[in-house]
């Protein structure tokens, strides 16, 4: 993986360095250590995509994906809406990068999924510190539920089947947006039907399972550190998991992922919370963190795509 900014040789210029993620230099420049190139929307075989602006201030946008066969048919056939939040530790990746673009083209085609995807491009740290990303994702969901969204959504989206989904940090965003959906009304009475959290990024000051004892950072000066309720859903100040605002959840983990035990921990916590919904746990054997995004054509990635499509469609 290549950086999206020019690397600097003098480490003395670095003011913030989170290993493998980001460096911030004294002159204000930022080096993101993991990313993939940005690519334009496209019509590839059975899947079409386009970019839209959700908000100019703050800057929130999205890439929409829709089966091409539906674009010119404004009939009664409505499809589920998946509002997706990408991963990247809140520091890197984009709804417009090659990695996620390829993933959703494969997801809709290989899984034969008639689903409308809204892949949200939220603002990244460290330029825009957290919790901005959480607010952006909530605003994106509100926009989807409004009457001012895009014609693809209004013409083809089934507002009785709105889902949230995300990988890694994106799954963390899903959790927090689902909590907010349980506490605040969305426009037009829209409800979130379900959510998938794939290899979710949660932490706490007390390691569990195979987690390292130290070395975790979230973002500078986070109130409560790793026990900030946004990062630790079981922190003392965190809302009850019983208030998650959806009716069905699937938590997906990968056997070799360092966050695997944390995903199972979250699943068990929801199961024991008193939340009244349908809950599932899915584990991909022999795989590491976000394998489904990095190697989307692998056998296990295709299995996970089909499992998620089934979760959304049935």
């Amino acid at each position: 993986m290549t950086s999206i900014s020019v690397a600097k040789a003098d480490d003395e210029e670095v003011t913030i360095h989170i290993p493998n993620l980001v460096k911030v230099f004294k002159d204000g420049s930022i080096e993101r250590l993991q990313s993939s190139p940005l690519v334009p929307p496209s019509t590839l075989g059975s899947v079409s995509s386009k970019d839209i602006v959700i908000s100019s201030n703050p800057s929130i946008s999205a890439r929409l994906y829709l089966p091409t066969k539906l674009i010119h048919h404004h009939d009664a056939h409505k499809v589920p809406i998946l509002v997706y939040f990408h991963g990247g530790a809140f520091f890197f990746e984009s709804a417009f990068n090659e990695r996620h673009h390829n993933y959703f083209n494969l997801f809709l085609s290989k899984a034969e999924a008639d689903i409308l995807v809204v892949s949200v491009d939220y603002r990244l740290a460290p330029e825009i510190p957290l919790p901005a990303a959480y607010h952006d994702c909530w605003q994106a969901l509100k926009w989807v539920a409004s009457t001012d969204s895009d014609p693809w959504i209004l013409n083809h989206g089934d507002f009785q089947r709105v889902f949230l989904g995300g990988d890694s940090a994106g799954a963390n965003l899903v959790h927090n947006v689902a909590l907010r959906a349980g506490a605040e009304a969305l426009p037009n009475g829209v409800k979130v039907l379900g959510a998938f959290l794939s290899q979710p990024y949660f932490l706490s000051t007390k390691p569990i399972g195979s987690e390292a004892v130290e070395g975790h950072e979230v973002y500078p000066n986070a109130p409560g550190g790793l026990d900030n309720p946004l990062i630790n859903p079981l922190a003392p100040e965190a809302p009850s998991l019983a208030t998650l605002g959806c009716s069905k959840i699937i938590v997906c983990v990968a056997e070799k992922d360092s966050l695997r035990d944390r995903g199972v921990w979250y699943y068990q916590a929801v199961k024991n919370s008193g939340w009244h919904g349908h809950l599932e746990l899915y584990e991909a054997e022999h795989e590491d963190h976000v394998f489904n995004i990095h190697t989307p054509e692998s056998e296990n990635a295709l299995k996970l795509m089909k499992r998620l499509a089934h979760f959304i469609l049935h």
Side-chain angles (χ1 to χ4, degrees), residues 1-41:
M1 290 177 287
T2 58
S3 171
I4 61 171
S5 60
V6 178
K8 301 216 175 185
D10 185 2
D11 282 344
E12 291 183 1
E13 296 181 351
V14 175
T15 58
I16 297 173
H17 180 202
I18 300 180
N20 301 317
L21 297 179
V22 67
K23 289 182 180 179
V24 181
F25 297 86
K26 287 181 181 179
D27 64 4
S29 61
I30 294 169
E31 182 183 353
R32 289 186 164 88
L33 304 177
Q34 301 185 47
S35 192
S36 64
L38 302 183
V39 296

Side-chain angles (χ1 to χ4, degrees), residues 79 163 255 265:
V79 299
F163 287 80
E255 182 184 11
W265 168 86

Side-chain angles (χ1 to χ4, degrees), residues 66-87:
L66 186 69
T68 304
K69 65 184 180 183
L70 299 179
I71 290 178
H72 301 297
H73 297 280
H74 300 168
D75 56 16
H77 179 55
K78 303 290 186 179
V79 299
I81 303 168
L82 170 61
V83 182
Y84 177 84
F85 309 133
H86 68 78

Side-chain angles (χ1 to χ4, degrees), residues 29 70 99 141 166 193 224:
S29 61
L70 299 179
R99 191 173 289 139
L141 177 60
L193 177 57

Side-chain angles (χ1 to χ4, degrees), residues 7-246:
K8 301 216 175 185
D10 185 2
D11 282 344
E12 291 183 1
E13 296 181 351
V14 175
T15 58
I16 297 173
H17 180 202
I18 300 180
N20 301 317
L21 297 179
V22 67
K23 289 182 180 179
V24 181
F25 297 86
K26 287 181 181 179
D27 64 4
S29 61
I30 294 169
E31 182 183 353
R32 289 186 164 88
L33 304 177
Q34 301 185 47
S35 192
S36 64
L38 302 183
V39 296
S42 62
T43 297
L44 294 174
S46 61
V47 182
S48 294
S49 57
K50 68 175 178 178
D51 295 343
I52 53 90
V53 174
I54 293 173
S55 168
S56 297
N57 185 22
S59 179
I60 312 169
S61 51
R63 179 160 293 176
L64 309 187
Y65 297 84
L66 186 69
T68 304
K69 65 184 180 183
L70 299 179
I71 290 178
H72 301 297
H73 297 280
H74 300 168
D75 56 16
H77 179 55
K78 303 290 186 179
V79 299
I81 303 168
L82 170 61
V83 182
Y84 177 84
F85 309 133
H86 68 78
F90 305 108
F91 289 109
F92 60 93
E93 296 291 28
S94 166
F96 309 128
N97 68 18
E98 183 177 44
R99 191 173 289 139
H100 287 93
H101 187 71
N102 290 343
Y103 176 79
F104 279 115
N105 278 301
L106 284 168
F107 178 69
L108 293 187
S109 60
K110 296 292 186 180
E112 300 178 349
D114 282 356
I115 296 169
L116 169 61
V117 177
V118 182
S119 181
V120 178
D121 201 60
Y122 53 87
R123 293 171 295 166
L124 298 177
E127 297 97 324
I128 311 295
L130 295 175
Y134 297 98
H135 299 317
D136 291 354
C137 291
W138 174 250
Q139 290 302 318
L141 177 60
K142 287 179 63 178
W143 176 85
V144 167
S146 75
T147 56
D148 298 322
S149 62
D150 185 84
W152 280 13
I153 299 173
L154 297 174
N155 293 332
H156 304 291
D158 182 351
F159 291 95
Q160 301 301 312
R161 293 186 290 168
V162 174
F163 287 80
L164 301 174
D167 291 85
S168 191
N172 175 294
L173 289 161
V174 166
H175 161 75
N176 283 284
V177 171
L179 279 176
R180 193 161 177 179
E184 298 181 33
L186 289 165
N188 301 310
V190 170
K191 304 288 187 183
V192 176
L193 177 57
F196 74 76
L197 294 87
S198 181
Q199 301 144 80
Y201 179 74
F202 296 120
L203 293 169
S204 67
T205 53
K206 182 179 180 181
I208 63 167
S210 59
E211 288 180 350
V213 175
E214 57 185 20
H216 301 301
E217 292 189 61
V218 184
Y219 61 101
N221 304 318
L226 294 181
D227 285 327
N228 185 299
L230 295 172
I231 301 300
N232 176 4
L234 294 185
E237 302 300 321
S240 169
L241 296 177
T243 65
L244 285 161
C246 57

